[in-house]
Amino acid sequence: MRPVEIPGITLHHLATQWSERAAGSFIQSLRCVGDDKFVLKVKSRTYHMEWLIQFPSIIMESGRRWETVEEQPGFIKRTKNWIENAKIVEIRQHGMDRILIFECTEGKLIIELFGDGNLITMNQQDTIVDVLHPKEWRTRTLRKGEHYSFPPGPDSWEDLPENPPVRGKSKSLGGWLATQLGVPAPWTRTVCALLQRSPEDAGEVTPSEWKTIQKTLEKWYGSPPTRWDWISHGEKDWILPRVKGIVNADSKIEEDGKENVWEMVEEKLSKEIIVREESMDKREKERNALHINRERQAKQKEEWEMEARERQRAGEWIYEHFEWVGQLLTALTEARRKKLGNQETMERISGKTKEVKAIDLKKGMVELETVE
């Protein structure tokens, strides 16, 4: 089964948010908590944050308490002094790759979330200090003492080539959009619908199609996804027929070379999506109200059952001690008739029974030492 992956677009916006919050903080620790699982802790005087790194392709904030493994990997032991208390300057994504960079005052911590996943530390000159999984390819070498180089590709979504890159006939269009351009898997279907092509298509991308892809990437990378983005691409089975219908029906696409197709689709679908979202919100509120009502009913039922049990226990105790209770009531009635005080009544009763702890004749209350 294919592992879950964080798309490049998602990582781009997460890195921006995390950098704003964590810049100026200090790395507290990096520990292994399981097979290919690591927890990175960051703290400052007013801020605390933890990330769970699950290789090969996941990083997320975590509030859970993780138990560290007894025998830590050699990488953790060797880099402990370098990593701990390193001051974070910036957190950023490299280009459109699933690579997260923790820029620190003394160097960098690199988290690679592709392939088998990897952790690399390097100095300010980009020389590798240590690496979790040393590896070597034709264009890259990840070993201690080597110069760290990123995988081939643009350094930023703003540096995409003017002409469409050659992607090879073996890779599908949807797969190429996801792995090379960082488009989330459900969104690749929508991009393909805008291009009027199947995600499984292996043909090359035309210049006109490449312009549409560039404008889409500019929209997604350049600003956080809007409500429209999340709803439309998260509900692909509902949105795709409408996207295809608009693309096929509107002749303006051919005139503009598909450059404005995204704005046109967004404009035409926005009203329908808002109505759909309001309908979904209404159903969600109804479900929540029903859930709250059921919880209240369950709580009320529990309270009634507890009250019934208490009454039953009280009745059982009085029945079991019926003779003693009768004697106590007789003594109290006599004390009230003779207008005795609480203390005097206590002294008279204490000679007969030791179970009474306190008496309040005005309130008609008797406090017992123990109740079996």
Side-chain angles (χ1 to χ4, degrees), residues 171-184 188 191-192 195 213:
K171 188 180 288 291
S172 67
L173 178 59
W176 178 72
L177 288 168
T179 57
Q180 300 300 315
L181 300 180
V183 179
T188 61
V191 175
C192 292
L195 303 178
I213 293 173

Side-chain angles (χ1 to χ4, degrees), residues 106-168:
E106 300 298 326
K108 299 182 182 74
L109 171 65
I110 306 292
I111 303 174
E112 295 187 348
L113 299 169
F114 59 89
D116 296 328
N118 219 335
L119 291 169
I120 303 107
T121 55
M122 58 187 185
N123 59 25
Q124 293 287 16
Q125 289 72 43
D126 292 347
T127 300
I128 297 175
V129 176
D130 214 321
V131 57
L132 179 64
H133 301 303
K135 296 195 175 197
E136 187 170 345
W137 298 270
R138 185 172 58 84
T139 57
R140 298 181 72 210
T141 299
L142 298 179
R143 296 191 184 279
K144 182 178 180 180
E146 296 286 341
H147 181 81
Y148 179 83
S149 58
F150 293 102
D155 292 336
S156 168
W157 58 270
E158 297 175 314
D159 297 331
L160 290 172
E162 183 177 347
N163 297 316
V166 178
R167 60 184 181 85

